Amino acid sequence: MAKSKRSKWKRKMRAVKRKKNEVKELVKLKKVLGLDQDRSVIQDITMSDLVTDVSKLKSSELQNADKAGEQNIEGSAMDTAAQTRYSSRTLRDEHGQYPVWMNQRAIQKRKTGAKIRGKISKKSKPSKR
């Protein structure tokens, strides 16, 4: 396979693109590794240093958010912490809506299944004549 003119052209163009972007990638890799132009190490960074820096940032952001949150509590009366509850049998919430993660095919399958179950239960009862 892969012997058509189109695939050969695409392979050729990918090679050209690789060669063009090679310089940029090398600069990015050196930056990530912390190397300077003369291949000397700029600074020795370990993962533990990065983790502590991030944790310091997060803790300071949380403190700032708490201060801002205290100011906004007085003005807001909306409770966003309330989670919707779904019925385990029908998977619907109190408003009759299905969960966001459920796709339309599964919803239709449940609806038709419920209709069929309803018809069967009605037929099984003796009719009054």
Side-chain angles (χ1 to χ4, degrees):
M1 211 165 179
K3 293 287 185 174
S4 65
K5 288 182 180 181
R6 182 178 182 188
S7 64
K8 287 179 184 177
W9 176 259
K10 287 195 176 279
R11 198 174 344 152
K12 179 183 173 186
M13 289 298 111
R14 280 196 302 265
V16 169
K17 196 178 216 181
R18 248 183 265 121
K19 191 167 188 165
K20 185 179 85 172
N21 292 334
E22 191 175 70
V23 179
K24 292 181 204 174
E25 284 185 27
L26 189 61
V27 169
K28 283 183 182 180
L29 284 173
K30 284 182 180 180
K31 185 177 178 183
V32 168
L33 292 175
L35 296 177
D36 199 5
Q37 296 295 339
D38 58 349
R39 294 188 181 262
S40 62
V41 177
I42 295 173
Q43 53 183 323
D44 189 21
I45 299 175
T46 61
M47 282 302 287
S48 60
D49 295 337
L50 293 175
V51 169
T52 55
D53 290 342
V54 170
S55 62
K56 287 179 186 176
L57 287 174
K58 285 185 178 179
S59 63
S60 64
E61 288 175 3
L62 287 174
Q63 290 174 352
N64 292 338
D66 288 340
K67 291 177 184 176
E70 290 172 0
Q71 295 170 354
N72 291 336
I73 287 175
E74 298 168 0
S76 68
M78 189 171 139
D79 185 23
T80 58
Q83 292 184 351
T84 56
R85 295 185 182 257
Y86 293 99
S87 168
S88 60
R89 186 174 60 87
T90 62
L91 287 181
R92 291 189 192 176
D93 63 356
E94 62 270 7
H95 305 294
Q97 299 294 316
Y98 286 97
V100 177
W101 51 264
M102 195 172 210
N103 58 25
Q104 291 298 317
R105 199 175 28 206
I107 291 172
Q108 288 301 321
K109 197 174 193 180
R110 286 202 169 262
K111 284 182 180 178
T112 56
K115 285 181 183 177
I116 291 170
R117 281 192 301 271
K119 288 180 181 178
I120 291 172
S121 63
K122 289 178 183 176
K123 285 183 179 179
S124 62
K125 293 179 183 177
S127 62
K128 297 179 183 177
R129 286 193 176 192

